[in-house]
Amino acid sequence: MKTYLQAVSAAAICLATSTFAASAADPVTVVGWGGTWDKAYKDGVWDKYTEKTGVPIVMEEWGGEVAKVRAQVQAGNITYDVVSVEAPAMEVGCAEGLFVPLTPEITGDAANYLPGTLHECGVASDTWATVLAYNTDVYKGDAAPKSWADFWNVEKFPGKRGLYQQAQFTLENALMADGVKREDMYKVLATPEGVDRAFAMLDKIKPNVVWWSTTTQGIQNLDSGEVTLSDAFNARITNEAINEKKPYAIAWDAGFFYGTDYWAVVKGAPHQQGGLDLLKWFSIPENQAGFSKLYAYGTGRKEAADLIPADWKANLPTSPEHLQYGAAYDNDFWTEHKEALEERFKAWLAK
């Protein structure tokens, strides 16, 4: 009897200990892009991970500044565990040793990923596009803008229009408006004459621009009627049009560029292993698809795309019907030239 009671007691202690460990699991701090993007990740991915593992996810928002990660690492005061970064920032952060290299044990076979969605230090959090969006109450049917040249045509389309307040994305749009083909974009932009040409186009439209620096601000400008057309990230427009029933549409055939953001684990993070465990779970196709089922950005894993309903997949920039009008942002170009072009853009904006 004594042996039996000891066994029962030991089992009870073990159960209590494991229960306490699960309930007191250290949270993983995940830093994303905020707003409805974060909400889609919470509802479609992170809540499911917590339910499965007992590990809480603490969500924070940022603007993708790799300098913040660098400052935390240099100060020895790291508060981020996992961050979503744009491709140029991924290149810089990985090269500087700020992010943990990922092995196939974490990500799965690289052959199962779409081109450009897997990096030495990251796995795609989303594939997005910057597009031409407009108010369908103002521009109906054939009267709607159909090109970036239309966007720049303030006589045919009078009033204010929104543009993202940075060189990247904006310079490409300016050159498309001036007739540069997407496949020639970085040949042109890599020359001093090409950069001057882009800024000359911005000179033409500057008095008619309302600049935005966050997606929420860009949408608010459309909502208020301050602008009736704007560049925008595609999923935010789709969300507003379908889920919020707002009169917005995307001119996909105007042409667009698309890019990939990546999840990365900060090297030396307080919960570095927890972050790696999270990305290993996220890299399973059905878990990756949880985000894209709720938000109109593409996935990394090919199999994940197959799990998205066909009617919703048609809203993604990576859908065949849209991709014919798109081209990829040149990450190598922006890694090399971003600092100089953003400085020139800031100086131009201040004039």
Side-chain angles (χ1 to χ4, degrees):
M1 175 64 73
K2 182 177 180 181
T3 302
Y4 170 76
L5 290 175
Q6 286 175 331
V8 171
S9 177
I13 292 171
C14 181
L15 177 62
T17 302
S18 63
T19 301
F20 175 78
S23 63
D26 287 340
V28 174
T29 298
V30 175
V31 188
W33 302 100
T36 54
W37 191 95
D38 270 1
K39 186 177 188 306
Y41 254 106
K42 180 181 186 303
D43 295 344
V45 183
W46 305 145
D47 283 355
K48 294 177 182 178
Y49 182 72
T50 299
E51 182 180 351
K52 178 79 172 179
T53 66
V55 177
I57 302 297
V58 175
M59 300 177 66
E60 293 190 17
E61 177 181 350
W62 77 335
E65 307 93 333
V66 72
K68 288 187 176 181
V69 177
R70 187 185 298 116
Q72 289 186 13
V73 171
Q74 291 175 346
N77 184 27
I78 303 172
T79 60
Y80 299 160
D81 294 316
V82 180
V83 296
S84 179
V85 294
E86 293 176 343
M90 169 57 75
E91 295 291 343
V92 172
C94 190
E96 292 184 13
L98 301 177
F99 303 137
V100 180
L102 302 181
T103 65
E105 181 185 359
I106 300 294
T107 63
D109 190 345
N112 294 327
Y113 283 79
L114 295 167
T117 62
L118 187 62
H119 188 277
E120 176 189 352
C121 294
V123 59
S125 56
D126 57 289
T127 298
W128 46 269
T130 48
V131 296
L132 194 167
Y134 61 93
N135 187 318
T136 57
D137 282 346
V138 177
Y139 306 113
K140 302 177 185 292
D142 291 340
K146 298 176 177 63
S147 67
W148 288 100
D150 284 346
F151 187 96
W152 250 254
N153 189 337
V154 296
E155 295 179 357
K156 184 177 179 181
F157 300 92
K160 299 288 187 179
R161 53 263 285 132
L163 278 176
Y164 195 23
Q165 192 170 312
Q166 68 172 36
Q168 189 178 0
F169 315 153
T170 304
L171 296 185
E172 284 94 341
N173 293 342
L175 288 177
M176 281 194 288
D178 202 31
V180 175
K181 295 179 180 179
R182 295 184 300 279
E183 58 267 29
D184 296 330
M185 182 60 63
Y186 295 100
K187 297 175 188 175
V188 175
L189 204 49
T191 66
E193 296 80 11
V195 174
D196 290 344
R197 182 177 172 183
F199 277 97
M201 287 297 290
L202 289 176
D203 285 336
K204 293 179 181 180
I205 202 175
K206 189 176 184 180
N208 299 91
V209 172
V210 176
W211 300 99
W212 59 273
S213 56
T214 68
T215 54
T216 298
Q217 183 183 13
I219 293 297
Q220 287 174 344
N221 292 341
L222 281 167
D223 289 346
S224 68
E226 186 174 8
V227 303
T228 54
L229 61 168
S230 180
D231 66 343
F233 295 112
N234 71 283
R236 190 61 191 265
I237 295 299
T238 298
N239 178 74
E240 298 297 316
I242 294 178
N243 297 330
E244 304 300 327
K245 312 300 181 187
K246 293 180 182 178
Y248 305 147
I250 295 171
W252 289 104
D253 54 356
F256 64 91
F257 281 82
Y258 60 88
T260 297
D261 297 336
Y262 298 89
W263 288 121
V265 177
V266 179
K267 194 170 185 178
H271 308 109
Q272 177 177 303
Q273 186 57 51
L276 291 171
D277 292 342
L278 176 62
L279 291 195
K280 183 175 182 178
W281 182 87
F282 173 71
S283 295
I284 297 170
E286 53 264 38
N287 299 332
Q288 243 181 61
F291 171 73
S292 291
K293 288 178 179 178
L294 300 177
Y295 211 68
Y297 283 162
T299 61
R301 291 285 295 251
K302 297 174 184 176
E303 311 98 311
D306 295 336
L307 300 174
I308 301 170
D311 58 341
W312 183 251
K313 191 187 296 187
N315 296 311
L316 273 57
T318 49
S319 70
E321 61 191 283
H322 299 324
L323 199 55
Q324 61 181 313
Y325 303 114
Y329 284 109
D330 189 323
N331 297 330
D332 291 338
F333 173 87
W334 281 109
T335 300
E336 181 178 354
H337 299 287
K338 185 172 178 65
E339 183 175 356
L341 289 177
E342 295 296 350
E343 285 300 319
R344 177 168 174 177
F345 180 81
K346 289 178 183 177
W348 171 85
L349 199 61
K351 291 179 181 177

